[in-house]
Amino acid sequence: MKVFYVNNDGGGFADTIEISDGQTVQQFFQERMPNRKAQDYLIRVNRLPVSADQVLREQDRISITATKIHGASLAA
Amino acid sequence: MTHQERLRVALQLQKYWQLGQERQLQSVVPISTVIATYLKRLRHSEDLLSLARSRGLHLIEPLLEEKTQFHARSLRITLQDQESSQHTVRRSFALRDFYQDLVQLEQEFADVRVNWEESQLIVETEPIILGDVELGHFSLRLDWKQWAQDPILACLKVVAEEPNTAEMSDEISHPHVREGELCAGDALSALHKAFEEGRLAEGFLIVHAVLTNYNAKSAYVRLEEWQGIPCYDCGDVTNPDDRSYCDGCDHDYCQNCISCCSSCSDSRCLSCLGECSICNERCCATCSETSPISDQVICRSCREICPGCQGTVGASDLHAETGLCPDCHVETPEPSEESLDEPVETAAS
């Protein structure tokens, strides 16, 4: 099935992707963001907070935004 | 925000975002032009290289090879960029998307409001505390007319509502905010992308993530120095104008605990200044030397080199007549009367 995936990590990425049916939010995160901790990210499905075991559905909009991002100074 | 107001704002956001998109598309140089330019440069380099080889100009070959590789690399990167940009096809952002972003912002943030006069969407954060420093809450202000001109970060201001600015500068309200401008650091690319693509809710969430994190390595002012830098000696906190840096020990000192070298005039703390044994002036380690003869600390002005042993001595230690140091100057005994009576041996006797 197709979902719209917004990854705000690194360079940023937003596109429609194909995922397997019945995939949960947790499985999706582990697949897309290997070796990352879910608690370091805001995960929203259709702009709403979700539980890890929520099953994704066709046309869902999933966004992943890091909560621990380092800013800088221009001089740095 | 009421449904009506949200709708009104969403209409404005959509209108100006679309204007920005059109402006951007107009300013883009056609990719074929870019590729043709790089290709032309590459061919020219290759031609020069084969010419050099055919004429046996071996010395210039490495330079031309490097140039050829550079142009080939530029061409490859351009093609790769073009390929990756095709994945992020510009999609239209419907009015509904802007409306839903506003709803999400209201759920994620403490307050969302509009300043119609200044065409600003204002999103307010909760009070932000980094380490032990309370920075207060911030309002993130998106000027949607500016957004159309420049979809990058110039349209966004980060304003401290109850500013607790750094002691060092009133312009710094957060370690990563100066004069209302966020320095996004690692978030820069994702933030550009979010605002460029019209994903406002995510853009504001990324800004919030930057504000709630602290990067000591590249902060405008480090948190431990937020209230000012204490004097390393007496501990008094002073403002930057009354503070001096000691190059000798790399610490900051207040005006009472800093002095300067009498020889080179560089600022030094009292611990990094020695006292010249001859003139009693304070001088830094660079300008002073310990005499191996007398073990005295001698400043540059009072220092002399003994012509006999090349050692450093105080100017007053040199003998007035011979100009030698005490070790080199051997007193010749005064000739006695008896010795004068003794016959002088000559080669003939």
Side-chain angles (χ1 to χ4, degrees):
Chain A
M1 64 176 182
K2 284 182 174 172
V3 294
F4 186 67
Y5 173 40
V6 182
N7 178 1
N8 292 307
D9 205 27
F13 166 89
D15 211 348
T16 302
I17 57 163
E18 191 80 31
I19 62 164
S20 53
D21 286 355
Q23 201 168 65
T24 64
V25 171
Q26 187 173 13
Q27 287 165 343
F28 180 86
F29 181 84
Q30 283 168 348
E31 190 182 297
R32 297 281 153 182
M33 310 282 284
N35 307 319
R36 308 288 176 92
K37 292 176 187 169
Q39 60 265 34
D40 293 341
Y41 292 85
L42 276 181
I43 303 168
R44 300 285 183 260
V45 174
N46 302 325
R47 294 187 166 84
L48 294 169
V50 283
S51 61
D53 58 355
Q54 180 170 318
V55 177
L56 295 170
R57 290 178 303 182
E58 179 86 23
Q59 300 297 318
D60 269 350
R61 180 189 194 277
I62 305 131
S63 75
I64 297 178
T65 309
T67 55
K68 293 182 179 174
I69 314 177
H70 279 163
S73 69
L74 285 173
Chain B
M1 231 190 260
T2 62
H3 165 70
Q4 288 298 327
E5 194 177 18
R6 213 177 284 137
L7 198 58
R8 226 177 120 201
V9 181
L11 274 165
Q12 291 295 310
L13 292 171
Q14 190 194 29
K15 177 184 161 187
Y16 283 98
W17 178 74
Q18 277 175 349
L19 277 174
Q21 293 293 296
E22 284 161 20
R23 184 181 285 271
Q24 263 198 316
L25 283 173
Q26 282 164 8
S27 64
V28 170
V29 178
I31 189 68
S32 56
T33 310
V34 179
I35 292 171
T37 308
Y38 281 125
L39 201 57
K40 194 177 165 189
R41 287 178 189 167
L42 178 61
R43 278 184 185 148
H44 182 63
S45 294
E46 281 178 336
D47 288 347
L48 286 176
L49 184 60
S50 30
L51 191 67
R53 280 177 182 157
S54 66
R55 294 189 180 176
L57 304 170
H58 303 302
L59 285 176
I60 203 163
E61 270 185 40
L63 181 70
L64 291 174
E65 274 172 3
E66 201 180 310
K67 268 194 165 184
T68 307
Q69 282 168 8
F70 172 77
H71 292 312
R73 206 162 46 239
S74 302
L75 185 62
R76 196 182 63 236
I77 291 169
T78 309
L79 290 168
Q80 279 172 348
D81 284 354
Q82 170 64 9
E83 197 177 54
S84 63
S85 70
Q86 281 176 350
H87 290 296
T88 54
V89 179
R90 289 174 192 279
R91 59 180 61 78
S92 62
F93 220 58
L95 182 63
R96 190 188 60 208
D97 294 313
F98 286 106
Y99 185 93
Q100 285 178 341
D101 264 14
L102 291 172
V103 174
Q104 186 183 355
L105 283 171
E106 288 176 78
Q107 289 163 350
E108 305 274 7
F109 286 91
D111 187 36
V112 179
R113 58 183 190 275
V114 178
N115 181 335
W116 288 102
E117 282 179 12
E118 295 185 24
S119 62
Q120 283 182 341
L121 173 66
I122 303 170
V123 172
E124 207 161 284
T125 71
E126 77 284 10
I128 289 173
I129 302 169
L130 293 178
D132 294 330
V133 182
E134 293 184 12
L135 300 165
H137 61 272
F138 289 81
S139 63
L140 319 179
R141 303 176 178 205
L142 175 80
D143 180 331
W144 59 70
K145 286 185 180 166
Q146 180 76 25
W147 193 24
Q149 304 292 322
D150 179 7
I152 314 300
L153 292 182
C155 57
L156 185 79
K157 289 281 171 215
V158 179
V159 179
E161 292 294 327
E162 298 151 350
N164 170 19
T165 54
E167 174 72 27
M168 192 182 285
S169 167
D170 289 344
E171 294 168 354
I172 299 169
S173 56
H174 183 283
H176 307 304
V177 177
R178 184 178 209 162
E179 289 182 299
E181 282 184 23
L182 177 80
C183 200
D186 293 346
L188 196 63
S189 294
L191 200 53
H192 277 186
K193 204 107 182 166
F195 277 103
E196 198 179 51
E197 292 182 358
R199 294 183 282 107
L200 286 185
E202 276 135 21
F204 281 116
L205 283 173
I206 295 169
V207 174
H208 182 260
V210 173
L211 291 179
T212 49
N213 284 280
Y214 169 56
N215 180 8
K217 285 180 185 166
S218 58
Y220 284 119
V221 175
R222 288 185 297 171
L223 287 175
E224 55 267 34
E225 294 167 1
W226 200 258
Q227 312 298 344
I229 300 174
C231 169
Y232 190 73
D233 193 351
C234 68
D236 280 357
V237 175
T238 52
N239 66 50
D241 294 339
D242 294 334
R243 199 165 52 231
S244 297
Y245 183 74
C246 172
D247 275 328
C249 60
D250 296 333
H251 290 115
D252 288 286
Y253 291 87
C254 70
Q255 291 305 305
N256 293 330
C257 300
I258 195 103
S259 186
C260 68
C261 170
S262 60
S263 296
C264 66
S265 302
D266 278 358
S267 293
R268 288 286 188 281
C269 71
L270 302 180
S271 309
C272 289
L273 288 172
E275 193 177 289
C276 174
S277 307
I278 296 168
C279 64
N280 296 329
E281 292 285 345
R282 290 176 183 276
C283 59
C284 69
T286 315
C287 297
S288 61
E289 206 169 312
T290 304
S291 164
I293 295 158
S294 61
D295 273 347
Q296 288 180 319
V297 175
I298 307 163
C299 75
R300 193 176 279 171
S301 320
C302 302
R303 201 158 64 203
E304 290 291 347
I305 304 291
C306 168
C309 63
Q310 302 300 314
T312 303
V313 288
S316 58
D317 288 339
L318 295 175
H319 192 272
E321 287 174 19
T322 61
L324 296 169
C325 71
D327 283 0
C328 295
H329 177 79
V330 181
E331 288 284 344
T332 314
E334 288 285 323
S336 62
E337 283 183 13
E338 286 172 5
S339 64
L340 288 173
D341 294 338
E342 284 174 11
V344 178
E345 286 184 15
T346 62
S349 65

